[in-house]
Amino acid sequence: MSHVHVIGGGLAGLSAAVELAPQARVTLYEAGPACGGRARSFHDRALDTVIDNGNHLLLSANPCTFRYLDLLGARDTLKGPGQPVFPWYDLEAGLAWTLRLSPGRIPFWLLRRGSRVPGMKLGEVMALFRLMKAEGQTRVADCLLPGQFAHRLLEPLAVSGLNTDIETGSARLLGNIVRRTLAKGGSACCPWMAANGLSESFVTPAMRYLDAFHAEVLTGTRVSALKEEAGRIVALETSNGPVTLGAEDSVIMAVPSPVATGLLPELDGPDEFESIANAHYRLQQLLKPRGALKQAGFIGLVGGVAEWVFLHDEVLSVTVSAANRYADWRNEAMLEHIWGELRRALDPLIEEPLPEDVPVARLIREKRATFAATPEQDKKRPGAKTAYANLALAGDWTDTGLPSTIEGAIQSGLAAVGALGFRTAFAGAE
Ligand SMILES: Cc1cc2nc3c(=O)[nH]c(=O)nc-3n(C[C@H](O)[C@H](O)[C@H](O)COP(=O)(O)OP(=O)(O)OC[C@H]3O[C@@H](n4cnc5c(N)ncnc54)[C@H](O)[C@@H]3O)c2cc1C
């Protein structure tokens, strides 16, 4: 039986390992104490509860992700309104509304005042076509038309989807998201979140699945070098000693771009990154949301620093994307500012107002959350195949056609499995 060595236990490595487990012997090497990489849960001492390193929002148009969850029997660990419902609040205008997309391809929601973006003009929707046609060097800002559709929907979608500002962000990558989501209609846009943390949805079920197939998962094991001979990888250097590969063995390298280019110096990969900041506030009592906020379990904010607010029982978690711009802001000051925004946005939508004082809180800045989704960085992304016959690449930074996302990571794992000649359900990027 062939033996595949998977380096990196983020979602790309896990996706590859899960796909391979029924058809090959698998060993997964993860440098950290647990798998999950940039999508993981942990117990936070200050908050005294389990939180995710960052809120992750998924849309129903993520075929590789839902297939992965189905294989693991973990789809029911997600929660969501079951409908394309997005509550919003504009902090500058003091205005709340709910975007309610119609399910099919014909966008009836655009014709209904109560379902669409307030203040938008129908002509602004042309921006979606411009994005879907965009190529090469085009930036998101080049495709948007001035108006509320851009300000209250496309800009927030771009900044959170690309984790890059609209002046530099790749219109092609955003166009690919639009093609898979809004253009397909509301049923492709239902929002989903991990109900009890990312690890419980994406990692623990994968560990169980891999265990059932006797795959080996070596956490706390860093791979520090690959040894090459005659166009093949023949050995790995790990923190637990060398591993010699058999003639039929192969390797999937599913580590972040800077690690991959360090292990394989001839490789090119993205080298500019954007951070994401997540502010987590521990509340003294459960929130009692009303209306669409209760239905969705989250809300999008425009016109402030906070962008998405997620309600997790007694923890309010806030996402701030493209957060390099806030790198110099002290944590306490940023937490206080965001708390002020939360009180303005949420108080009209909950039964009891939030307290004036900032509760116990924690700010997590993931400095290299994603590669900067600019046209220049997008061009540096390699495919799954390498110059070595038995080495394939995976990771959200490889050429998936998507920005750094869970879907991109899981899809890349499948592409790597295919590149090594194993069976996979993945037919290629759209
Ligand atoms: C705060 C935050 C919020 C996000 N929000 C969203 C969202 O809402 N929706 C969405 O779809 N995506 C979101 N993402 C992106 C998503 O989390 C990533 O795209 C995805 O998790 C990347 O998976 P990966 O396997 O490619 O990389 P990683 O998760 O980085 O995995 C790489 C793994 O390799 C390991 N490793 C590194 N070096 C070595 C070595 N030498 N030897 C062995 N192992 C090694 C690392 O420890 C890590 O576990 C978010 C990311 C962050 C950080």
Side-chain angles (χ1 to χ4, degrees):
M1 196 183 207
S2 41
H3 186 176
V4 185
H5 303 259
V6 179
I7 311 173
L11 297 187
L14 288 177
S15 154
V18 161
E19 192 74 0
L20 285 164
Q23 34 177 341
R25 182 177 159 204
V26 175
T27 303
L28 187 147
Y29 306 84
E30 166 53 46
C35 291
R38 278 170 282 154
R40 65 186 187 281
S41 316
F42 61 95
H43 183 266
D44 183 88
R45 265 205 283 168
L47 303 178
D48 191 23
T49 187
V50 173
I51 55 172
D52 289 336
N53 64 316
N55 300 304
H56 282 60
L57 188 70
L58 288 166
L59 294 182
S60 39
N62 282 175
C64 297
T65 304
F66 283 96
R67 179 178 167 276
Y68 171 85
L69 292 170
D70 285 342
L71 268 179
L72 305 179
R75 189 187 273 246
D76 63 1
T77 63
L78 298 186
K79 64 175 180 183
Q83 289 173 27
V85 174
F86 295 83
W88 289 94
Y89 189 84
D90 184 330
L91 286 155
E92 287 163 336
L95 178 70
W97 73 96
T98 303
L99 188 73
R100 289 182 192 278
L101 305 177
S102 33
R105 279 182 188 266
I106 303 172
F108 293 114
W109 61 277
L110 284 170
L111 307 174
R112 290 195 288 260
R113 269 185 200 287
S115 298
R116 68 188 189 196
V117 178
M120 69 172 278
K121 303 223 165 46
L122 280 181
E124 288 180 63
V125 174
M126 285 310 291
L128 294 175
F129 296 98
R130 291 179 171 205
L131 286 167
M132 286 190 284
K133 279 204 229 141
E135 284 175 9
Q137 292 302 306
T138 316
R139 318 273 159 179
V140 172
D142 300 333
C143 298
L144 302 188
L145 297 165
Q148 295 301 343
F149 189 64
H151 179 59
R152 291 181 171 155
L153 182 62
L154 293 186
E155 277 188 41
L157 182 72
V159 174
S160 56
L162 300 180
N163 194 33
T164 303
D165 64 55
I166 60 165
E167 276 75 32
T168 58
S170 158
R172 182 186 89 92
L173 289 177
L174 185 63
N176 286 347
I177 297 184
V178 169
R179 196 175 295 115
R180 287 170 173 228
T181 56
L182 283 173
K184 286 202 168 149
S187 49
C189 303
C190 296
W192 292 98
M193 293 141 281
N196 296 309
L198 290 164
S199 293
E200 187 166 317
S201 292
F202 292 96
V203 184
T204 311
M207 293 298 121
R208 272 199 299 268
Y209 185 90
L210 293 175
D211 192 45
F213 284 98
H214 309 293
E216 242 182 322
V217 178
L218 305 176
T219 51
T221 307
R222 181 175 298 279
V223 174
S224 53
L226 309 180
K227 190 169 169 218
E228 173 261 332
E229 246 173 54
R232 293 182 68 80
I233 304 300
V234 293
L236 309 177
E237 197 61 56
T238 82
S239 49
N240 291 330
V243 176
T244 305
L245 269 60
E248 300 296 313
D249 288 10
S250 37
V251 179
I252 291 181
M253 190 156 68
V255 293
S257 164
V259 181
T261 51
L263 289 171
L264 215 60
E266 69 269 31
L267 188 70
D268 201 11
D271 52 8
E272 287 176 15
F273 302 90
E274 261 292 350
S275 71
I276 298 180
N278 269 264
H280 303 273
Y281 299 89
R282 174 86 202 231
L283 305 174
Q284 291 303 317
Q285 58 199 52
L286 287 185
L287 274 191
K288 291 192 193 132
R290 292 193 295 250
L293 179 61
K294 182 175 178 185
Q295 190 185 4
F298 69 92
I299 184 168
L301 305 185
V302 280
V305 174
E307 285 158 354
W308 296 98
V309 184
F310 295 84
L311 319 185
H312 302 295
D313 295 332
E314 67 286 340
V315 174
L316 264 183
S317 290
V318 177
T319 300
V320 181
S321 305
N324 287 358
R325 59 197 151 146
Y326 303 122
D328 294 335
W329 208 354
R330 276 190 318 109
N331 283 4
E332 295 70 29
M334 191 163 169
L335 283 167
E336 196 173 328
H337 180 95
I338 293 175
W339 185 249
E341 292 185 350
L342 292 184
R343 291 183 59 220
R344 274 158 56 208
L346 295 190
D347 279 358
L349 311 173
I350 54 182
E351 304 239 327
E352 289 162 31
L354 293 173
E356 203 174 320
D357 293 336
V358 183
V360 176
R362 175 102 146 86
L363 189 76
I364 300 178
R365 299 180 197 250
E366 286 272 8
K367 290 210 173 97
R368 287 184 170 183
T370 70
F371 69 89
T374 62
E376 293 75 18
Q377 293 292 303
D378 190 29
K379 251 173 60 187
K380 291 181 174 226
R381 302 168 77 187
K385 286 197 169 153
T386 69
Y388 302 94
N390 65 338
L391 173 68
L393 301 175
D396 61 354
W397 56 278
T398 57
D399 190 13
T400 62
L402 293 170
S404 276
T405 51
I406 287 182
E407 176 70 7
I410 292 177
Q411 178 188 302
S412 77
L414 302 183
V417 167
L420 292 177
F422 290 94
R423 271 195 322 276
T424 169
F426 177 63
E430 274 178 42

Tab-separated table of all heavy atoms in Angstrom, residues 59 86 88 128 131 150-163 166 174 177-178 181-182 308:
chain	number	residue	atom	x	y	z
A	59	LEU	N	-20.506	30.048	3.540
A	59	LEU	CA	-21.755	30.143	2.801
A	59	LEU	C	-22.078	28.769	2.221
A	59	LEU	O	-21.186	27.937	2.025
A	59	LEU	CB	-21.641	31.185	1.687
A	59	LEU	CG	-21.461	32.625	2.168
A	59	LEU	CD1	-21.399	33.588	0.993
A	59	LEU	CD2	-22.561	33.055	3.137
A	86	PHE	N	-29.373	38.250	6.267
A	86	PHE	CA	-28.205	38.977	6.772
A	86	PHE	C	-28.646	40.285	7.425
A	86	PHE	O	-28.932	41.257	6.719
A	86	PHE	CB	-27.233	39.290	5.621
A	86	PHE	CG	-26.620	38.066	5.000
A	86	PHE	CD1	-27.311	37.352	4.018
A	86	PHE	CD2	-25.374	37.623	5.396
A	86	PHE	CE1	-26.757	36.218	3.450
A	86	PHE	CE2	-24.812	36.488	4.832
A	86	PHE	CZ	-25.497	35.784	3.860
A	88	TRP	N	-28.063	43.834	9.176
A	88	TRP	CA	-27.001	44.842	9.049
A	88	TRP	C	-27.322	46.057	9.895
A	88	TRP	O	-28.491	46.348	10.164
A	88	TRP	CB	-26.896	45.329	7.586
A	88	TRP	CG	-26.331	44.354	6.635
A	88	TRP	CD1	-27.033	43.486	5.862
A	88	TRP	CD2	-24.945	44.150	6.329
A	88	TRP	NE1	-26.153	42.743	5.087
A	88	TRP	CE2	-24.877	43.136	5.359
A	88	TRP	CE3	-23.756	44.727	6.786
A	88	TRP	CZ2	-23.681	42.682	4.835
A	88	TRP	CZ3	-22.557	44.276	6.262
A	88	TRP	CH2	-22.521	43.261	5.295
A	128	LEU	N	-21.704	43.927	-10.145
A	128	LEU	CA	-21.522	42.468	-10.007
A	128	LEU	C	-21.019	41.868	-11.315
A	128	LEU	O	-20.152	40.987	-11.321
A	128	LEU	CB	-22.840	41.800	-9.606
A	128	LEU	CG	-23.390	42.161	-8.223
A	128	LEU	CD1	-24.751	41.518	-8.008
A	128	LEU	CD2	-22.413	41.719	-7.135
A	131	LEU	N	-17.385	42.733	-11.806
A	131	LEU	CA	-16.511	41.884	-10.984
A	131	LEU	C	-16.357	40.501	-11.611
A	131	LEU	O	-15.258	39.950	-11.677
A	131	LEU	CB	-17.082	41.746	-9.563
A	131	LEU	CG	-16.934	42.966	-8.671
A	131	LEU	CD1	-17.810	42.841	-7.426
A	131	LEU	CD2	-15.472	43.163	-8.262
A	150	ALA	N	-22.761	49.509	-3.092
A	150	ALA	CA	-21.327	49.290	-2.865
A	150	ALA	C	-20.997	49.519	-1.401
A	150	ALA	O	-20.369	48.676	-0.754
A	150	ALA	CB	-20.500	50.223	-3.751
A	151	HIS	N	-21.446	50.672	-0.868
A	151	HIS	CA	-21.041	51.038	0.498
A	151	HIS	C	-21.554	50.047	1.525
A	151	HIS	O	-20.848	49.692	2.470
A	151	HIS	CB	-21.568	52.451	0.786
A	151	HIS	CG	-21.237	52.928	2.161
A	151	HIS	ND1	-19.939	53.040	2.608
A	151	HIS	CD2	-22.036	53.298	3.207
A	151	HIS	CE1	-19.945	53.465	3.855
A	151	HIS	NE2	-21.190	53.622	4.249
A	152	ARG	N	-22.817	49.618	1.353
A	152	ARG	CA	-23.443	48.801	2.395
A	152	ARG	C	-23.412	47.303	2.093
A	152	ARG	O	-23.843	46.509	2.916
A	152	ARG	CB	-24.891	49.246	2.619
A	152	ARG	CG	-24.966	50.621	3.258
A	152	ARG	CD	-26.388	51.052	3.493
A	152	ARG	NE	-26.410	52.275	4.302
A	152	ARG	CZ	-27.394	53.150	4.291
A	152	ARG	NH1	-28.439	52.956	3.504
A	152	ARG	NH2	-27.341	54.213	5.058
A	153	LEU	N	-22.960	46.897	0.917
A	153	LEU	CA	-22.905	45.445	0.666
A	153	LEU	C	-21.585	45.008	0.029
A	153	LEU	O	-20.859	44.184	0.595
A	153	LEU	CB	-24.083	44.991	-0.213
A	153	LEU	CG	-24.101	43.472	-0.464
A	153	LEU	CD1	-24.264	42.705	0.835
A	153	LEU	CD2	-25.220	43.079	-1.429
A	154	LEU	N	-21.253	45.573	-1.140
A	154	LEU	CA	-20.094	45.025	-1.857
A	154	LEU	C	-18.771	45.317	-1.156
A	154	LEU	O	-17.880	44.462	-1.127
A	154	LEU	CB	-20.071	45.527	-3.302
A	154	LEU	CG	-21.223	45.016	-4.170
A	154	LEU	CD1	-21.033	45.453	-5.616
A	154	LEU	CD2	-21.344	43.501	-4.101
A	155	GLU	N	-18.637	46.519	-0.583
A	155	GLU	CA	-17.377	46.812	0.128
A	155	GLU	C	-17.188	45.887	1.323
A	155	GLU	O	-16.124	45.268	1.456
A	155	GLU	CB	-17.355	48.273	0.599
A	155	GLU	CG	-16.904	49.225	-0.488
A	155	GLU	CD	-16.702	50.628	0.060
A	155	GLU	OE1	-16.157	50.766	1.176
A	155	GLU	OE2	-17.105	51.560	-0.632
A	156	PRO	N	-18.197	45.771	2.215
A	156	PRO	CA	-18.014	44.840	3.335
A	156	PRO	C	-17.786	43.404	2.869
A	156	PRO	O	-16.973	42.679	3.439
A	156	PRO	CB	-19.314	44.940	4.131
A	156	PRO	CG	-20.020	46.144	3.639
A	156	PRO	CD	-19.453	46.524	2.315
A	157	LEU	N	-18.473	43.005	1.796
A	157	LEU	CA	-18.277	41.639	1.269
A	157	LEU	C	-16.840	41.472	0.772
A	157	LEU	O	-16.183	40.458	1.023
A	157	LEU	CB	-19.262	41.399	0.126
A	157	LEU	CG	-19.237	40.026	-0.525
A	157	LEU	CD1	-19.831	38.995	0.403
A	157	LEU	CD2	-20.013	40.027	-1.844
A	158	ALA	N	-16.345	42.515	0.093
A	158	ALA	CA	-14.979	42.442	-0.451
A	158	ALA	C	-13.950	42.389	0.663
A	158	ALA	O	-13.045	41.549	0.661
A	158	ALA	CB	-14.710	43.657	-1.352
A	159	VAL	N	-14.094	43.281	1.639
A	159	VAL	CA	-13.068	43.359	2.695
A	159	VAL	C	-13.060	42.077	3.520
A	159	VAL	O	-11.997	41.554	3.866
A	159	VAL	CB	-13.285	44.611	3.579
A	159	VAL	CG1	-12.320	44.626	4.746
A	159	VAL	CG2	-13.095	45.873	2.745
A	160	SER	N	-14.235	41.515	3.806
A	160	SER	CA	-14.211	40.285	4.601
A	160	SER	C	-13.886	39.074	3.742
A	160	SER	O	-13.174	38.169	4.186
A	160	SER	CB	-15.524	40.092	5.358
A	160	SER	OG	-16.600	40.094	4.464
A	161	GLY	N	-14.354	39.041	2.506
A	161	GLY	CA	-14.087	37.875	1.641
A	161	GLY	C	-12.635	37.795	1.215
A	161	GLY	O	-12.042	36.714	1.161
A	162	LEU	N	-12.035	38.954	0.907
A	162	LEU	CA	-10.633	38.970	0.446
A	162	LEU	C	-9.668	39.234	1.588
A	162	LEU	O	-8.471	38.996	1.462
A	162	LEU	CB	-10.423	40.061	-0.612
A	162	LEU	CG	-11.239	39.991	-1.895
A	162	LEU	CD1	-10.875	41.168	-2.798
A	162	LEU	CD2	-11.009	38.675	-2.627
A	163	ASN	N	-10.170	39.779	2.685
A	163	ASN	CA	-9.320	40.248	3.787
A	163	ASN	C	-8.270	41.236	3.257
A	163	ASN	O	-7.103	41.210	3.644
A	163	ASN	CB	-8.654	39.082	4.518
A	163	ASN	CG	-8.058	39.524	5.844
A	163	ASN	OD1	-8.598	40.418	6.496
A	163	ASN	ND2	-6.938	38.941	6.231
A	166	ILE	N	-10.395	47.490	-0.698
A	166	ILE	CA	-10.920	47.465	-2.066
A	166	ILE	C	-9.991	48.156	-3.068
A	166	ILE	O	-10.043	47.883	-4.253
A	166	ILE	CB	-12.344	48.055	-2.158
A	166	ILE	CG1	-12.355	49.514	-1.696
A	166	ILE	CG2	-13.343	47.228	-1.391
A	166	ILE	CD1	-13.621	50.239	-2.107
A	174	LEU	N	-12.634	38.369	-6.120
A	174	LEU	CA	-13.973	38.689	-5.604
A	174	LEU	C	-15.036	38.254	-6.618
A	174	LEU	O	-16.090	37.730	-6.246
A	174	LEU	CB	-14.090	40.186	-5.287
A	174	LEU	CG	-15.417	40.572	-4.631
A	174	LEU	CD1	-15.588	39.884	-3.272
A	174	LEU	CD2	-15.536	42.082	-4.446
A	177	ILE	N	-15.965	34.767	-6.157
A	177	ILE	CA	-16.899	34.556	-5.030
A	177	ILE	C	-18.314	34.936	-5.463
A	177	ILE	O	-19.275	34.212	-5.206
A	177	ILE	CB	-16.488	35.414	-3.797
A	177	ILE	CG1	-15.122	34.983	-3.276
A	177	ILE	CG2	-17.535	35.310	-2.707
A	177	ILE	CD1	-14.691	35.719	-2.016
A	178	VAL	N	-18.433	36.064	-6.166
A	178	VAL	CA	-19.769	36.513	-6.613
A	178	VAL	C	-20.395	35.451	-7.521
A	178	VAL	O	-21.586	35.114	-7.395
A	178	VAL	CB	-19.662	37.874	-7.347
A	178	VAL	CG1	-20.967	38.228	-8.038
A	178	VAL	CG2	-19.252	38.979	-6.384
A	181	THR	N	-21.745	32.645	-5.487
A	181	THR	CA	-22.725	32.952	-4.430
A	181	THR	C	-23.882	33.798	-4.969
A	181	THR	O	-24.866	33.253	-5.447
A	181	THR	CB	-22.018	33.662	-3.248
A	181	THR	OG1	-21.342	34.831	-3.735
A	181	THR	CG2	-21.027	32.742	-2.565
A	182	LEU	N	-23.732	35.123	-4.935
A	182	LEU	CA	-24.853	35.993	-5.306
A	182	LEU	C	-25.432	35.661	-6.677
A	182	LEU	O	-26.648	35.670	-6.865
A	182	LEU	CB	-24.398	37.457	-5.294
A	182	LEU	CG	-24.267	38.109	-3.920
A	182	LEU	CD1	-23.642	39.500	-4.046
A	182	LEU	CD2	-25.622	38.217	-3.227
A	308	TRP	N	-18.168	42.267	11.667
A	308	TRP	CA	-19.154	41.198	11.881
A	308	TRP	C	-19.208	40.900	13.362
A	308	TRP	O	-18.167	40.799	14.009
A	308	TRP	CB	-18.753	39.912	11.136
A	308	TRP	CG	-18.730	40.078	9.657
A	308	TRP	CD1	-17.649	40.317	8.882
A	308	TRP	CD2	-19.856	40.016	8.763
A	308	TRP	NE1	-18.019	40.418	7.569
A	308	TRP	CE2	-19.367	40.234	7.465
A	308	TRP	CE3	-21.227	39.802	8.941
A	308	TRP	CZ2	-20.191	40.246	6.338
A	308	TRP	CZ3	-22.044	39.806	7.822
A	308	TRP	CH2	-21.532	40.028	6.546
